Amino acid sequence: MSTRKFAAIATGMTLALTLAACGGGGAGTTDDEQPAGDDTAAEDTEGGLIGVSMPTQVSERWIADGDAVKAGLEEAGYEVDLQYAGDDIPTQSQQIDQMITKGAKLLIIAAIDGTALAGQLDAAAAAGIPVIAYDRLIRDSENVDFYVTFDNYNVGVQQATALLVGLGLLDAEGNEVADAPAGPFNIEVFAGSLDDNNAHFFFDGAMETLKPYLDDGTLVIKSGQAEIEQVATLRWAGETAQKRMEDLLTSSYSDGTQVQGVLSPNDTLARGIITALQNAGYTEMPPITGQDAEIASVKLIADGVQFSTIFKDTRKLADQSVAAAQDFLAGEEPEANDTETYDNGVKVVPSYLLESDIVYADNIEALLVESGYWTAEEIAAGQADG
Ligand code: BGC
């Protein structure tokens, strides 16, 4: 790693710490808050305009991402046009068009639909504007220059591992338990939005991990719905997952059998699934997985309602995207650590993958509080400060 890049990341880290100190939680700040040191940053924008396009403010992670990317870029001397598209594809296309018209020098995009932005990317390429895909791969276009994300397949592996731990089949280190229960356990599986490339990676990683247990009959998907097309959740909507869980309870569990575990691909969906089970009279939850370490779910995990989540530190992802942006604008190629995995249908996009962690009730403190992601007070309240 070059010294300059390290300096950039270090700057981002200092900033994240400052933000955490001021805002009481790196994940919970909102776009309206002025980050510390913003006055100086705002005056020093000779680096030019950078467009940052985020999918939605409904899931809190994207708010944290947007805030952190904006703060990091401003700190580095850029002006930032940060837009949220309300999970509406035409709105996102239009916002990106406007960024290009306004003269953005670089675009950082977390796509709603990974295949819907080819026109915008063509325009960006024609204007010589580098494009960084943020967290979600943009598909079917030559004009994606770099991808910053987490190891999404491994996120799926971690989710399935957590489910197996919850069922007593693996220990907390992920090793087989010698006197593990034989099962069979009735489980159900959910996936994210089919137009989000990540949803496929999460599901593949999880299902590969569950496969031996499904093959030998330890696990049974009682509904028989095991294909991603059958279990996907359009736009990652919590209500849609709740409705599907309700339908499954009626169609496959009205004989009195219990759901004993649920693979949920993120926290928003996990909470919908929990609501469906609670409404059906479940007083104790089976192990239900998640992703994103959203504050409401972290509280549910602390309270023993949701079993696990996956912590993807959005501050680190934001730092990576800022470092990559600085490289491009200095005429250099950002450093990739994966040049094989992310084929977008036209080319393999050079990527920088970050690692994620499984959160259970007993490591919330170590992973989320000690890192300054959430404060103990926020977790107790189940709500982000400010
Ligand atoms: C992200 C997840 C998020 C999901 C829904 C995915 O692309 O990687 O972190 O839970 O979108 O917003």
Side-chain angles (χ1 to χ4, degrees), residues 53-59 62 83-93 95 110-113 136 193 195-196 233-239 266 268:
S53 171
M54 291 282 153
T56 174
Q57 281 168 304
V58 169
S59 152
W62 299 114
Q83 299 290 337
Y84 288 89
D87 258 343
D88 183 56
I89 298 163
T91 302
Q92 185 164 44
S93 308
Q95 288 173 337
I112 298 165
D113 177 331
R136 297 173 170 176
S193 198
D195 52 10
D196 177 353
T233 314
L234 183 65
R235 296 284 113 75
W236 295 88
E239 316 82 68
N266 83 353
T268 312

Side-chain angles (χ1 to χ4, degrees), residues 55-56 59 61-62 65 87 111 134-136 149-150 152 192 196-199 202 235-236 265-269 291-292 294 312:
T56 174
S59 152
R61 74 149 287 186
W62 299 114
D65 285 283
D87 258 343
Y134 186 92
D135 194 62
R136 297 173 170 176
T149 191
F150 290 83
N152 294 305
D196 177 353
N197 195 61
N198 288 348
F202 302 148
R235 296 284 113 75
W236 295 88
N266 83 353
D267 288 344
T268 312
L269 272 54
Q291 170 173 204
D292 295 335
E294 291 191 344
K312 303 192 305 188

Side-chain angles (χ1 to χ4, degrees), residues 75-362:
E75 177 84 352
Y78 299 100
E79 190 188 341
V80 179
D81 182 11
L82 168 63
Q83 299 290 337
Y84 288 89
D87 258 343
D88 183 56
I89 298 163
T91 302
Q92 185 164 44
S93 308
Q94 213 176 25
Q95 288 173 337
I96 296 171
D97 283 337
Q98 277 165 8
M99 290 169 186
I100 297 172
T101 311
K102 280 195 221 162
K105 286 182 157 185
L106 182 139
L107 296 171
I108 297 177
I109 302 172
I112 298 165
D113 177 331
T115 63
L117 295 174
Q120 281 64 40
L121 298 203
D122 289 348
I129 302 170
V131 173
I132 299 173
Y134 186 92
D135 194 62
R136 297 173 170 176
L137 185 63
I138 303 174
R139 297 191 51 87
D140 302 342
S141 173
E142 176 68 34
N143 303 320
V144 188
D145 299 288
F146 200 69
Y147 181 34
V148 292
T149 191
F150 290 83
D151 182 342
N152 294 305
Y153 182 89
N154 193 49
V155 167
V157 171
Q158 291 177 324
Q159 290 173 328
T161 301
L163 181 61
L164 296 169
V165 170
L167 292 169
L169 298 166
L170 295 180
D171 66 22
E173 279 74 51
N175 300 315
E176 298 226 345
V177 172
D179 51 354
F185 294 104
N186 294 317
I187 65 160
E188 295 299 334
V189 298
F190 285 69
S193 198
L194 290 176
D195 52 10
D196 177 353
N197 195 61
N198 288 348
H200 300 265
F201 277 77
F202 302 148
F203 193 70
D204 288 350
M207 291 309 273
E208 274 300 304
T209 308
L210 297 181
K211 190 171 187 305
Y213 299 86
L214 289 164
D215 287 350
D216 73 10
T218 310
L219 300 181
V220 176
I221 299 176
K222 189 142 190 292
S223 67
Q225 298 180 13
E227 299 300 322
I228 192 166
E229 292 76 15
Q230 297 173 298
V231 306
T233 314
L234 183 65
R235 296 284 113 75
W236 295 88
E239 316 82 68
T240 307
Q242 179 181 336
K243 173 79 171 55
R244 176 163 178 264
M245 190 71 244
E246 286 165 358
D247 291 347
L248 290 174
L249 289 172
T250 310
S251 62
S252 308
Y253 295 86
S254 39
D255 60 359
T257 7
Q258 298 280 303
V259 181
Q260 290 164 297
V262 183
L263 175 80
S264 166
N266 83 353
D267 288 344
T268 312
L269 272 54
R271 293 196 300 275
I273 293 162
I274 289 168
T275 303
L277 292 170
Q278 284 172 337
N279 290 347
Y282 282 63
T283 46
E284 223 166 275
M285 283 300 131
I288 300 169
T289 63
Q291 170 173 204
D292 295 335
E294 291 191 344
I295 190 63
S297 283
V298 175
K299 177 173 169 47
L300 289 174
I301 295 170
D303 292 348
V305 179
Q306 186 175 321
F307 185 68
S308 63
T309 187
I310 305 298
F311 175 39
K312 303 192 305 188
D313 194 333
T314 49
R315 298 168 300 189
K316 291 187 182 158
L317 187 61
D319 287 346
Q320 258 330 307
S321 72
V322 171
Q326 287 180 301
D327 281 338
F328 276 126
L329 294 174
E332 291 170 21
E333 286 295 313
E335 184 190 4
N337 66 2
D338 184 305
T339 50
E340 283 171 14
T341 309
Y342 288 99
D343 186 335
N344 79 346
V346 176
K347 71 173 194 186
V348 176
V349 182
S351 309
Y352 195 97
L353 311 188
L354 293 160
E355 290 303 323
S356 51
D357 291 298
I358 309 178
V359 179
Y360 303 107
D362 64 5

